[in-house]
Amino acid sequence: MLSFGGGFFDYDNDGWLDIFIANGHVYPEVEQATPGTHYRQINSLFHNEGNGKFVEVGKSSGTGFETPYVGRGAAFADFDNDGFIDIVIANNGDSPVVLHNSGANGNHFLNFKLSGKKSNRDAMGARVRVVTGTTSQIREIAGGGSYLSQSDLRANFGIAKAKRAEIVEITWPSGQRQTFRDVEADKFYLVEEGNDHLQTQHISGRQP
């Protein structure tokens, strides 16, 4: 495999970050020069086993991993707002591919959209920490990422079977910190810098 775009994301919302990698060679002639190596390649998906090891699970993850492409960039976002992260892949000389994550495994999530006041409006550089039981997770709001790609600026956390987070802590680029406690799962929240009220976002078309 020759890998381009990729990133960490928790596709099954079990609280452990998995890995997706978009694959595709740079030379269309590689198949003639190096038999066994292909220009179009299957993308890779690795499941985090939670013990320091990752297992390749692309073959069991749907038809999106059956067709080879010349993959380049990958962007991660919850396009249908069901709490499970989807992927869009930019392919060289071909249409983009959207890998829809059907989820529905019973695991819960938390999603946060940050809005800066003293800090920049998109909250670039802010860090979100979520604590559920003995598990602590951190996401940093960042631009760019994968090759020529921009992922969703919302921070999405899988929290497995937990129905709420004991602590949600925001550290803003300005240095300000905000802490929220006993945050209910399976909701989309808006966090405004300096506003200690955690707002629930209404997502059009989404069932409560």
Side-chain angles (χ1 to χ4, degrees), residues 184-206:
E184 187 177 355
D186 300 330
K187 293 183 181 295
F188 293 81
Y189 294 100
L190 173 63
V191 185
E192 294 182 336
E193 185 176 13
N195 184 351
D196 291 331
H197 175 65
L198 195 59
Q199 304 175 55
T200 302
Q201 288 187 286
H202 173 71
I203 304 297
S204 179
R206 184 175 188 272

mmCIF file of all heavy atoms in Angstrom, residues 184-206:
data_model
loop_
_atom_site.group_PDB
_atom_site.id
_atom_site.type_symbol
_atom_site.label_atom_id
_atom_site.label_comp_id
_atom_site.label_asym_id
_atom_site.label_seq_id
_atom_site.Cartn_x
_atom_site.Cartn_y
_atom_site.Cartn_z
ATOM 1 N N GLU A 184 -25.355 15.142 29.850
ATOM 2 C CA GLU A 184 -26.133 14.040 29.279
ATOM 3 C C GLU A 184 -25.628 13.656 27.892
ATOM 4 O O GLU A 184 -25.288 14.522 27.073
ATOM 5 C CB GLU A 184 -27.610 14.430 29.206
ATOM 6 C CG GLU A 184 -28.533 13.304 28.797
ATOM 7 C CD GLU A 184 -29.985 13.718 28.813
ATOM 8 O OE1 GLU A 184 -30.273 14.859 29.246
ATOM 9 O OE2 GLU A 184 -30.833 12.910 28.394
ATOM 10 N N ALA A 185 -25.602 12.356 27.601
ATOM 11 C CA ALA A 185 -25.087 11.838 26.336
ATOM 12 C C ALA A 185 -26.112 11.975 25.215
ATOM 13 O O ALA A 185 -27.269 12.333 25.426
ATOM 14 C CB ALA A 185 -24.694 10.376 26.496
ATOM 15 N N ASP A 186 -25.639 11.685 23.988
ATOM 16 C CA ASP A 186 -26.461 11.643 22.778
ATOM 17 C C ASP A 186 -27.094 12.993 22.450
ATOM 18 O O ASP A 186 -28.235 13.080 21.981
ATOM 19 C CB ASP A 186 -27.548 10.561 22.885
ATOM 20 C CG ASP A 186 -26.949 9.177 23.070
ATOM 21 O OD1 ASP A 186 -25.829 8.937 22.570
ATOM 22 O OD2 ASP A 186 -27.596 8.339 23.722
ATOM 23 N N LYS A 187 -26.328 14.050 22.693
ATOM 24 C CA LYS A 187 -26.783 15.397 22.376
ATOM 25 C C LYS A 187 -25.661 16.186 21.705
ATOM 26 O O LYS A 187 -24.475 15.888 21.873
ATOM 27 C CB LYS A 187 -27.255 16.143 23.632
ATOM 28 C CG LYS A 187 -28.518 15.559 24.260
ATOM 29 C CD LYS A 187 -28.978 16.384 25.449
ATOM 30 C CE LYS A 187 -30.224 15.778 26.093
ATOM 31 N NZ LYS A 187 -31.381 15.806 25.178
ATOM 32 N N PHE A 188 -26.074 17.214 20.941
ATOM 33 C CA PHE A 188 -25.156 18.139 20.301
ATOM 34 C C PHE A 188 -25.182 19.443 21.100
ATOM 35 O O PHE A 188 -26.243 20.058 21.256
ATOM 36 C CB PHE A 188 -25.567 18.396 18.850
ATOM 37 C CG PHE A 188 -25.435 17.185 17.964
ATOM 38 C CD1 PHE A 188 -26.413 16.202 17.956
ATOM 39 C CD2 PHE A 188 -24.322 17.020 17.160
ATOM 40 C CE1 PHE A 188 -26.298 15.081 17.143
ATOM 41 C CE2 PHE A 188 -24.185 15.902 16.353
ATOM 42 C CZ PHE A 188 -25.176 14.930 16.333
ATOM 43 N N TYR A 189 -24.010 19.863 21.584
ATOM 44 C CA TYR A 189 -23.929 21.029 22.448
ATOM 45 C C TYR A 189 -23.170 22.169 21.776
ATOM 46 O O TYR A 189 -22.243 21.941 20.988
ATOM 47 C CB TYR A 189 -23.230 20.678 23.765
ATOM 48 C CG TYR A 189 -24.001 19.715 24.632
ATOM 49 C CD1 TYR A 189 -23.687 18.354 24.658
ATOM 50 C CD2 TYR A 189 -25.037 20.165 25.449
ATOM 51 C CE1 TYR A 189 -24.390 17.466 25.466
ATOM 52 C CE2 TYR A 189 -25.747 19.279 26.260
ATOM 53 C CZ TYR A 189 -25.410 17.934 26.258
ATOM 54 O OH TYR A 189 -26.120 17.062 27.059
ATOM 55 N N LEU A 190 -23.569 23.393 22.119
ATOM 56 C CA LEU A 190 -22.845 24.593 21.719
ATOM 57 C C LEU A 190 -22.207 25.188 22.963
ATOM 58 O O LEU A 190 -22.893 25.451 23.960
ATOM 59 C CB LEU A 190 -23.792 25.617 21.080
ATOM 60 C CG LEU A 190 -23.180 26.981 20.763
ATOM 61 C CD1 LEU A 190 -22.063 26.857 19.723
ATOM 62 C CD2 LEU A 190 -24.255 27.954 20.276
ATOM 63 N N VAL A 191 -20.889 25.393 22.913
ATOM 64 C CA VAL A 191 -20.162 25.978 24.033
ATOM 65 C C VAL A 191 -19.611 27.320 23.592
ATOM 66 O O VAL A 191 -18.797 27.404 22.658
ATOM 67 C CB VAL A 191 -19.000 25.076 24.495
ATOM 68 C CG1 VAL A 191 -18.340 25.675 25.739
ATOM 69 C CG2 VAL A 191 -19.487 23.667 24.778
ATOM 70 N N GLU A 192 -20.060 28.399 24.250
ATOM 71 C CA GLU A 192 -19.552 29.735 23.967
ATOM 72 C C GLU A 192 -18.532 30.111 25.026
ATOM 73 O O GLU A 192 -18.774 29.925 26.228
ATOM 74 C CB GLU A 192 -20.691 30.747 23.942
ATOM 75 C CG GLU A 192 -21.669 30.527 22.798
ATOM 76 C CD GLU A 192 -22.766 31.578 22.774
ATOM 77 O OE1 GLU A 192 -23.042 32.181 23.836
ATOM 78 O OE2 GLU A 192 -23.346 31.791 21.695
ATOM 79 N N GLU A 193 -17.414 30.622 24.593
ATOM 80 C CA GLU A 193 -16.354 31.016 25.521
ATOM 81 C C GLU A 193 -16.885 32.054 26.511
ATOM 82 O O GLU A 193 -17.457 33.077 26.120
ATOM 83 C CB GLU A 193 -15.168 31.589 24.749
ATOM 84 C CG GLU A 193 -13.968 31.910 25.607
ATOM 85 C CD GLU A 193 -12.780 32.383 24.800
ATOM 86 O OE1 GLU A 193 -12.962 32.704 23.598
ATOM 87 O OE2 GLU A 193 -11.668 32.447 25.350
ATOM 88 N N GLY A 194 -16.732 31.756 27.802
ATOM 89 C CA GLY A 194 -17.176 32.673 28.836
ATOM 90 C C GLY A 194 -18.615 32.493 29.266
ATOM 91 O O GLY A 194 -19.050 33.090 30.266
ATOM 92 N N ASN A 195 -19.382 31.661 28.555
ATOM 93 C CA ASN A 195 -20.780 31.411 28.916
ATOM 94 C C ASN A 195 -20.853 30.076 29.632
ATOM 95 O O ASN A 195 -20.599 29.023 29.042
ATOM 96 C CB ASN A 195 -21.646 31.399 27.655
ATOM 97 C CG ASN A 195 -23.130 31.232 27.963
ATOM 98 O OD1 ASN A 195 -23.520 30.955 29.103
ATOM 99 N ND2 ASN A 195 -23.963 31.400 26.951
ATOM 100 N N ASP A 196 -21.211 30.096 30.888
ATOM 101 C CA ASP A 196 -21.223 28.877 31.693
ATOM 102 C C ASP A 196 -22.491 28.056 31.527
ATOM 103 O O ASP A 196 -22.690 27.065 32.238
ATOM 104 C CB ASP A 196 -21.016 29.221 33.173
ATOM 105 C CG ASP A 196 -19.593 29.718 33.429
ATOM 106 O OD1 ASP A 196 -18.688 29.289 32.692
ATOM 107 O OD2 ASP A 196 -19.412 30.532 34.356
ATOM 108 N N HIS A 197 -23.351 28.462 30.593
ATOM 109 C CA HIS A 197 -24.553 27.684 30.287
ATOM 110 C C HIS A 197 -24.282 26.831 29.053
ATOM 111 O O HIS A 197 -23.967 27.346 27.983
ATOM 112 C CB HIS A 197 -25.743 28.609 30.036
ATOM 113 C CG HIS A 197 -26.984 27.872 29.604
ATOM 114 N ND1 HIS A 197 -27.647 26.987 30.428
ATOM 115 C CD2 HIS A 197 -27.659 27.877 28.421
ATOM 116 C CE1 HIS A 197 -28.685 26.491 29.781
ATOM 117 N NE2 HIS A 197 -28.721 27.000 28.561
ATOM 118 N N LEU A 198 -24.407 25.538 29.204
ATOM 119 C CA LEU A 198 -24.183 24.604 28.109
ATOM 120 C C LEU A 198 -25.461 24.516 27.280
ATOM 121 O O LEU A 198 -26.498 24.047 27.757
ATOM 122 C CB LEU A 198 -23.807 23.230 28.665
ATOM 123 C CG LEU A 198 -23.189 22.215 27.703
ATOM 124 C CD1 LEU A 198 -21.910 22.750 27.079
ATOM 125 C CD2 LEU A 198 -22.906 20.905 28.431
ATOM 126 N N GLN A 199 -25.381 24.964 26.033
ATOM 127 C CA GLN A 199 -26.564 25.031 25.189
ATOM 128 C C GLN A 199 -26.707 23.769 24.331
ATOM 129 O O GLN A 199 -25.723 23.276 23.778
ATOM 130 C CB GLN A 199 -26.488 26.250 24.268
ATOM 131 C CG GLN A 199 -26.302 27.567 24.994
ATOM 132 C CD GLN A 199 -26.122 28.720 24.031
ATOM 133 O OE1 GLN A 199 -26.947 28.962 23.156
ATOM 134 N NE2 GLN A 199 -25.012 29.440 24.177
ATOM 135 N N THR A 200 -27.934 23.278 24.215
ATOM 136 C CA THR A 200 -28.213 22.135 23.348
ATOM 137 C C THR A 200 -28.556 22.657 21.948
ATOM 138 O O THR A 200 -29.382 23.561 21.802
ATOM 139 C CB THR A 200 -29.394 21.309 23.873
ATOM 140 O OG1 THR A 200 -29.103 20.873 25.207
ATOM 141 C CG2 THR A 200 -29.629 20.091 23.010
ATOM 142 N N GLN A 201 -27.907 22.103 20.934
ATOM 143 C CA GLN A 201 -28.173 22.518 19.562
ATOM 144 C C GLN A 201 -29.351 21.732 18.987
ATOM 145 O O GLN A 201 -29.459 20.512 19.163
ATOM 146 C CB GLN A 201 -26.947 22.273 18.681
ATOM 147 C CG GLN A 201 -25.802 23.235 18.936
ATOM 148 C CD GLN A 201 -24.708 23.027 17.916
ATOM 149 O OE1 GLN A 201 -23.979 22.057 17.962
ATOM 150 N NE2 GLN A 201 -24.614 23.929 16.960
ATOM 151 N N HIS A 202 -30.218 22.443 18.287
ATOM 152 C CA HIS A 202 -31.302 21.770 17.571
ATOM 153 C C HIS A 202 -30.788 21.388 16.193
ATOM 154 O O HIS A 202 -30.367 22.244 15.414
ATOM 155 C CB HIS A 202 -32.520 22.668 17.443
ATOM 156 C CG HIS A 202 -33.599 22.081 16.572
ATOM 157 N ND1 HIS A 202 -34.361 20.995 16.964
ATOM 158 C CD2 HIS A 202 -34.019 22.417 15.322
ATOM 159 C CE1 HIS A 202 -35.214 20.691 15.991
ATOM 160 N NE2 HIS A 202 -35.020 21.542 14.994
ATOM 161 N N ILE A 203 -30.815 20.115 15.888
ATOM 162 C CA ILE A 203 -30.364 19.616 14.595
ATOM 163 C C ILE A 203 -31.582 19.315 13.745
ATOM 164 O O ILE A 203 -32.389 18.444 14.078
ATOM 165 C CB ILE A 203 -29.502 18.345 14.735
ATOM 166 C CG1 ILE A 203 -28.314 18.613 15.676
ATOM 167 C CG2 ILE A 203 -29.024 17.869 13.375
ATOM 168 C CD1 ILE A 203 -27.352 19.661 15.184
ATOM 169 N N SER A 204 -31.767 20.039 12.652
ATOM 170 C CA SER A 204 -32.932 19.902 11.790
ATOM 171 C C SER A 204 -33.041 18.471 11.245
ATOM 172 O O SER A 204 -32.072 17.917 10.729
ATOM 173 C CB SER A 204 -32.849 20.878 10.631
ATOM 174 O OG SER A 204 -33.951 20.739 9.768
ATOM 175 N N GLY A 205 -34.225 17.892 11.386
ATOM 176 C CA GLY A 205 -34.474 16.564 10.841
ATOM 177 C C GLY A 205 -34.050 15.420 11.734
ATOM 178 O O GLY A 205 -34.291 14.256 11.423
ATOM 179 N N ARG A 206 -33.398 15.739 12.858
ATOM 180 C CA ARG A 206 -32.938 14.682 13.749
ATOM 181 C C ARG A 206 -33.970 14.407 14.823
ATOM 182 O O ARG A 206 -34.501 15.317 15.453
ATOM 183 C CB ARG A 206 -31.600 15.067 14.392
ATOM 184 C CG ARG A 206 -31.010 13.959 15.263
ATOM 185 C CD ARG A 206 -29.630 14.360 15.780
ATOM 186 N NE ARG A 206 -29.005 13.238 16.456
ATOM 187 C CZ ARG A 206 -29.168 12.969 17.754
ATOM 188 N NH1 ARG A 206 -29.937 13.720 18.504
ATOM 189 N NH2 ARG A 206 -28.554 11.935 18.287
#
